[in-house]
Amino acid sequence: MMRSSKRAALLLTVGVLGIAGSLFAAGPVPKSEPNFYAPTGYFASLAQELRVAAKNGSTVSIVQLGDSHIQAGHTTAPLRASLQASFGDAGRGWIGWYALYGSNSPRDYRVTSSGFGWQRELILKPEGTRPMGLGGYVLSTRPSSRFTIGVTSSDHPFRQMHLVRTASSLPLTAFPLAELRTGRFSTGAYVVDTLSWRSPYTSATLTGAEENDADEAVYAGCVLLSGKGGVLVHDIGINGAAYWHYALADYVEQLSLLEPQLLILSMGTNDCYSTRFQMADFTESLEQMLMLVKEILPKTKILLTTPPPSFFRQASTHYVVTGRRRKHRKKVTTMTYRFNENAARVSEEIMRRAELHGVAAFDLFSAMGGQSGINSWIADGLMAGDRVHYSRDGYERQGRLITSALERVLSIR
C-alpha cells in the first residue's frame, strides 16, 4: 500500500531487505539484557557523551518520537528524570504547541494563546500548504494579526528558548525582555531563533507585532533550555500516528534541528490496529523510517520500542423488556474486547529488524507480560477503558521499564 510518492524510490531496497530479514525469522533474537537487543558496544559512545556532559556542561539530546502513547508525556517523563538526575538538567526540551489546535499535551508545561485563531495542519493528513514541523504539526495565522503565546514550564526554569518558524515568518519578541538572535540554525523551510535571558524564568510571553513586513506567520513550537548543560529529553507524539506518517525525508530532516544523539522510535499501535493489517505494509514503513534516519542522521543512535498490548473492541446492542407489565423496552449496549494479536506480531518483527539493521530495540510488549500479563495491568487500573490507551500510572510504568533497560546498558545503575 503506497502512502507517499517518496516511498516509491525505496521499494526495491525494501524488497531486498525483506528477503534478507526473512532469514532471521526462525531463530530467537539475542538479547544482551532481558527484553533488550543491542549490538555489542552500540551505546558505548552515548555513555561516554553522557559522562562528558556531566563534567564539562555539554549537552546530550535524546528524542522519543511516537503516537498518543507519547504525546501525553507520561511515558518519557521517567527517562528525563533519571538521566537529568545523573548527568545534569539541560532543560525541558521540546514544547509542543498542541493546545493551540485543541489537543492534549503534557502536564509539566502549558501553552496558551490570545488573538486570532490558529489554523493547523497535521502530519496525519498533510495538505502540503505549509512545511510540516518537527512536532508533527504546523500552526499558522494571518501575518498581520496581533497575537500572544504564553509558555510556562514550572518544573524546568529556562534561560534560553529556541523558537521554530518558517524563514519568511515574523520573529517573535518576548516578555520578560530577551536578547534575540534570529535564524541561527536552519533546515529546509524552517529557521530557529534563539531567545536568551540573564536570569532563569518559568514563563514567558511571545508576541507578534500587529504591523510587520512578514509574508506569513507559521510556527512549529519551541525548545526550552536551562543554559546549564546536561541532558535534554524531547518527547514528540501525535495522536493516531504510525510509522508511515513520519517516514518522510522532509520530516526526518526536521528532527536534525534537535541534533539527537539518540532517537527512540515508539510506535506500532496504529500501524497494527486493524483487522486488515498486513505485515508487509508495516515492514515497508519501518524499513523506510530506519533508512531515512540512517541517511539523514548518520551519527544518531536508534532505539526501537515495541507497542504495548492492546485490544480490539466491539459494541453490541440488544433490548430487554422491563416494567410490571413488561411493556417497556430498554436499550442495552455491551462492549466486548478481543486481544490484538497483531501487536505481538509487530513486536516480534521490530526485534528482528533491529538485529538486521544493527540498531537497538526494547521489547516493551513482552516486558509488560504480553497477552498473559496484561490482565494484571487492567486489574491494577493501569489501562484505560478503551483497552488501547493507558492511565497516567500505566504510561509511567512503561516509561520506567524503558528507562531501566537503558540504565543497564548505559551502566548508570
Side-chain angles (χ1 to χ4, degrees):
M1 183 184 300
M2 297 305 297
R3 300 183 174 95
S4 169
S5 60
K6 294 184 179 180
R7 303 177 70 175
L10 294 170
L11 280 177
L12 180 58
T13 305
V14 169
V16 172
L17 288 173
I19 295 171
S22 65
L23 299 175
F24 294 85
V29 175
K31 301 178 180 65
S32 57
E33 294 288 340
N35 310 303
F36 197 99
Y37 169 78
T40 303
Y42 186 69
F43 285 111
S45 61
L46 179 61
Q48 177 62 21
E49 289 168 348
L50 289 168
R51 288 191 291 268
V52 170
K55 290 181 179 180
N56 67 12
S58 59
T59 299
V60 173
S61 176
I62 296 172
V63 177
Q64 185 166 24
L65 178 67
D67 47 28
S68 58
H69 299 316
I70 302 303
Q71 180 172 332
H74 304 312
T75 304
T76 312
L79 180 62
R80 180 182 296 111
S82 172
L83 293 182
Q84 291 187 339
S86 298
F87 303 105
D89 181 354
R92 175 53 178 80
W94 175 252
I95 299 293
W97 294 2
Y98 307 111
L100 301 195
Y101 66 84
S103 191
N104 63 298
S105 60
R107 297 182 180 181
D108 63 331
Y109 65 76
R110 186 164 54 93
V111 180
T112 59
S113 179
S114 64
F116 189 80
W118 294 91
Q119 290 86 46
R120 71 171 188 178
E121 190 170 331
L122 299 182
I123 202 167
L124 304 183
K125 193 176 180 181
E127 300 171 10
T129 58
R130 306 291 186 188
M132 187 53 56
L134 66 90
Y137 65 86
V138 60
L139 295 168
S140 61
T141 188
R142 295 174 181 172
S144 59
S145 299
R146 181 171 179 82
F147 58 85
T148 62
I149 298 171
V151 178
T152 301
S153 175
S154 299
D155 296 337
H156 291 269
F158 53 91
R159 296 183 64 177
Q160 277 194 342
M161 175 187 296
H162 289 168
L163 177 67
V164 185
R165 61 176 174 87
T166 56
S168 54
S169 293
L170 173 72
L172 302 182
T173 59
F175 180 82
L177 186 64
E179 178 187 351
L180 172 64
R181 294 201 312 271
T182 58
R184 183 177 179 183
F185 310 106
S186 64
T187 296
Y190 284 98
V191 299
V192 179
D193 296 335
T194 300
L195 295 162
S196 301
W197 292 267
R198 293 184 177 181
S199 302
Y201 290 94
T202 58
S203 64
T205 301
L206 308 174
T207 303
E210 186 172 2
E211 295 182 2
N212 60 80
D213 297 328
D215 295 328
E216 58 186 6
V218 179
Y219 304 92
C222 62
V223 178
L224 300 183
L225 304 100
S226 67
K228 296 184 295 186
V231 184
L232 286 172
V233 181
H234 313 275
D235 46 336
I236 299 174
I238 290 293
N239 297 337
Y243 266 101
W244 66 270
H245 291 114
Y246 292 117
L248 303 169
D250 289 346
Y251 177 74
V252 178
E253 287 175 354
Q254 295 301 314
L255 290 176
S256 65
L257 292 171
L258 298 178
E259 301 179 316
Q261 282 109 314
L262 172 63
L263 176 61
I264 305 173
L265 298 175
S266 299
M267 286 167 281
T269 296
N270 296 304
D271 299 81
C272 71
Y273 197 76
S274 171
T275 56
R276 295 174 292 179
F277 168 73
Q278 296 292 322
M279 183 62 74
D281 291 338
F282 171 75
T283 301
E284 178 189 335
S285 299
L286 176 58
E287 289 286 346
Q288 182 170 346
M289 188 69 185
L290 289 172
M291 285 185 289
L292 286 171
V293 173
K294 286 186 171 185
E295 177 184 352
I296 297 170
L297 302 170
K299 296 181 180 181
T300 301
K301 300 297 181 183
I302 300 172
L303 171 62
L304 306 175
T305 69
T306 65
S310 58
F311 292 79
F312 293 116
R313 61 191 184 277
Q314 182 175 1
S316 58
T317 302
H318 64 282
Y319 291 87
V320 296
V321 180
T322 62
R324 293 181 59 184
R325 299 184 180 181
R326 303 184 66 80
K327 292 185 177 181
H328 301 285
R329 300 176 69 212
K330 181 180 179 180
K331 182 178 179 180
V332 177
T333 300
T334 303
M335 191 71 69
T336 58
Y337 300 93
R338 178 169 59 86
F339 188 76
N340 179 12
E341 296 180 357
N342 295 335
R345 295 171 58 201
V346 161
S347 297
E348 293 172 357
E349 186 67 10
I350 287 174
M351 298 303 290
R352 283 194 290 267
R353 295 288 156 176
E355 184 181 15
L356 176 62
H357 283 273
V359 301
F362 176 66
D363 193 352
L364 177 64
F365 181 90
S366 65
M368 292 175 61
Q371 183 173 1
S372 60
I374 194 59
N375 288 335
S376 65
W377 286 66
I378 297 172
D380 291 342
L382 301 177
M383 201 172 195
D386 63 4
R387 296 295 188 266
V388 176
H389 298 92
Y390 289 77
S391 67
R392 175 176 180 172
D393 289 343
Y395 282 128
E396 289 179 346
R397 182 181 290 187
Q398 292 177 26
R400 288 194 295 271
L401 289 171
I402 297 171
T403 300
S404 295
L406 265 176
E407 287 176 341
R408 289 193 295 270
V409 299
L410 292 170
S411 301
I412 297 174
R413 296 286 186 267

